[in-house]
Amino acid sequence: MTGVVVVGGGIGGLAAALSLLRAGLDVHVYEQASELSEVGAGVQVSPNASRILHRLGLAAALAASGVKPLAWHQRRWADGRTLLRAPLAEALEATYGCPHYQMHRADLLAALVEAVPPERIHLGHRLEGLTDLGDAVEARFAGGRTVRADVLVGADGIHSTVRQVLFGADRARFTGCVAYRGVVPAERLAALGLEVTAQIWMGPGRHFVHYFISGRRSVNFVAVIERETWTRESWTDRGEVADAVAAYVGWHPQVREIIGAADETFTWALFDRPPLPRWSAGRVTLLGDAAHAMLPFMAQGAAQAIEDGATLAACLRQLPPVAALRRYEGVRIPRTARLQEMSAGNKTRFHLPDGDAQRERDDQMAAGSRSWSFNALGWLYEHDAAELSLTADRLRT
């Protein structure tokens, strides 16, 4: 039986572990933290990801804590005018066979933790180095413990130690955007009569996103503004609610009221990395943000990590380790690179200053342009990452 070490116990690492276990592989997850936890933020689980999670036995858990949005509702920053309303919920599920969920990241992580056998998860293991021995790979953790396996997967996030060992230190590029994120108890916003939609407000130099999570008990928001400089790449720097409200002076009152209802916000500087030409070396590969960190403007970061695990499991089920990793990266890199590019492009589209380009965008959206409709994303949502033949077909089209 092929043995796999997964370094990193976040959403991507645990989803990969489940896919690999279901493929009959001997998998263990090593996480440097002393407990598994996620920051207080929302996550979108689109049909390409929920398809995999349902197959892994998580349908009931997703239904219990996830929210199915009625639509993507894209609006103008000052007056709230609807620019485009693309149906989700029943329409999306009927088209692609699986639902779209909005969730708290902690709820998704908890569902994955519950599904992975506890003896497969090892906390308090900080990777210090690794060695490819030819017929195996050895991982070295702080404190002197070593573990050998047939394959090692770096699912250790945007600051990946595994990526640095494989390809050297890299320098992330600041994209000129900083996000304030927060979660507000839904009862505080009851007077707004918020729809169960994912709302995106677009305006000059910034945008604002909000949606229900945690069984509609909370509202998650992300306020993205442009800044000239930033130094830290972190999810956990605290921000000031008053600063976030002040950044949206002149915007629709609903935007400012949602931000102002938060007890706290966290600031998140958005950094970018160009697509890697390869993810693997010998018996070691990357997964999730370690491989393809992307801006959140397509809501596909977690979904693509979940896809990675499914494809990796399919490759290892069919091929010897080294060949499987080559196939895995060959299948996944074109798809994730496309999404990295599209996510970066949405920064420009969301932040257009008022003027000719903005009016052209708004007119296209109001006319129901396919480029703004979920139907234009069939290649994304209908994809089954566990089906290698389907993946190959997608790459040829």
Side-chain angles (χ1 to χ4, degrees):
M1 181 185 298
T2 300
V4 182
V5 163
V6 176
V7 177
I11 290 170
L14 292 178
L18 273 179
S19 287
L20 292 162
L21 285 168
R22 293 298 176 94
L25 305 174
D26 181 17
V27 184
H28 288 266
V29 178
Y30 294 84
E31 164 59 41
Q32 67 176 355
S34 58
E35 61 179 356
L36 295 174
S37 62
E38 271 285 357
V39 295
V43 63
Q44 303 274 351
V45 182
S46 49
N48 48 307
S50 66
R51 177 175 295 112
I52 296 164
L53 296 176
H54 280 198
R55 192 178 294 146
L56 294 174
L58 300 184
L62 297 184
S65 59
V67 176
K68 296 181 181 180
L70 299 176
W72 288 110
H73 188 185
Q74 304 189 49
R75 307 179 70 175
R76 181 162 164 76
W77 64 283
D79 59 11
R81 176 165 53 89
T82 295
L83 301 176
L84 183 101
R85 187 181 174 93
L88 295 175
E90 289 83 2
L92 201 67
E93 192 166 355
T95 302
Y96 301 116
C98 291
H100 183 113
Y101 295 105
Q102 299 167 167
M103 300 188 67
H104 197 297
R105 296 184 72 92
D107 291 337
L108 178 54
L109 185 73
L112 291 165
V113 171
E114 181 68 21
V116 177
E119 67 273 13
R120 300 282 177 171
I121 301 175
H122 310 275
L123 303 178
H125 283 72
R126 179 170 59 83
L127 184 72
E128 290 192 333
L130 57 91
T131 304
D132 193 324
L133 303 172
D135 61 346
V137 61
E138 182 179 83
R140 300 186 302 279
F141 297 97
R145 182 175 182 184
T146 61
V147 177
R148 290 191 181 188
D150 298 295
V151 171
L152 185 142
V153 181
D156 49 343
I158 198 165
H159 301 294
S160 170
T161 298
V162 178
R163 185 185 65 236
Q164 183 170 335
V165 170
L166 289 186
F167 305 122
D170 63 351
R171 193 171 186 85
R173 304 172 301 191
F174 178 54
T175 62
C177 288
V178 174
Y180 288 89
R181 54 184 177 79
V183 176
V184 181
E187 64 266 19
R188 294 185 188 175
L189 303 173
L192 294 179
L194 296 178
E195 293 183 310
V196 185
T197 57
Q199 296 198 22
I200 305 173
W201 301 70
M202 294 180 287
R206 61 205 63 206
H207 72 281
F208 184 77
V209 179
H210 65 86
Y211 52 84
F212 284 95
I213 58 173
S214 302
R216 304 188 189 181
R217 296 184 301 277
S218 300
V219 174
N220 179 79
F221 72 80
V222 183
V224 180
I225 64 176
E226 294 184 6
R227 288 267 184 88
E228 290 186 4
T229 60
W230 198 268
T231 56
R232 279 173 53 83
E233 187 177 14
S234 172
W235 280 70
T236 56
D237 289 342
R238 289 190 180 273
E240 295 293 334
V241 172
D243 291 342
V245 173
Y248 286 83
V249 168
W251 282 56
H252 192 278
Q254 178 173 305
V255 171
R256 292 164 56 81
E257 188 164 345
I258 292 172
I259 299 172
D263 291 324
E264 62 182 1
T265 64
F266 292 88
T267 55
W268 168 26
L270 303 183
F271 284 74
D272 193 13
R273 287 178 171 84
L276 290 169
R278 60 193 181 105
W279 297 352
S280 307
R283 294 174 175 267
V284 182
T285 196
L286 303 174
L287 180 149
D289 281 350
H292 49 71
M294 61 185 67
L295 292 175
F297 304 155
M298 286 287 294
Q300 280 294 305
Q304 290 307 299
I306 292 166
E307 282 192 17
D308 289 344
T311 298
L312 179 62
C315 291
L316 284 169
R317 188 173 59 242
Q318 297 180 19
L319 297 166
V322 175
L325 299 191
R326 287 199 301 268
R327 179 81 186 279
Y328 160 68
E329 68 175 18
V331 165
R332 294 297 300 158
I333 286 176
R335 181 170 168 85
T336 56
R338 181 179 182 182
L339 283 162
Q340 284 176 287
E341 181 181 7
M342 292 178 70
S343 298
N346 273 345
K347 173 193 170 184
T348 300
R349 288 189 287 274
F350 290 171
H351 293 185
L352 287 175
D354 285 353
D356 291 343
Q358 163 261 321
R359 285 189 287 271
E360 181 180 358
R361 178 202 66 190
D362 293 356
D363 289 344
Q364 290 176 350
M365 294 174 71
S369 169
R370 282 182 56 83
S371 65
W372 291 91
S373 167
F374 79 82
N375 290 322
L377 296 177
W379 66 273
L380 175 60
Y381 293 152
E382 70 187 6
H383 181 76
D384 189 336
E387 296 294 332
L388 294 183
S389 59
L390 177 61
T391 301
D393 290 342
R394 288 288 169 262
L395 291 179
R396 286 195 292 269
T397 60

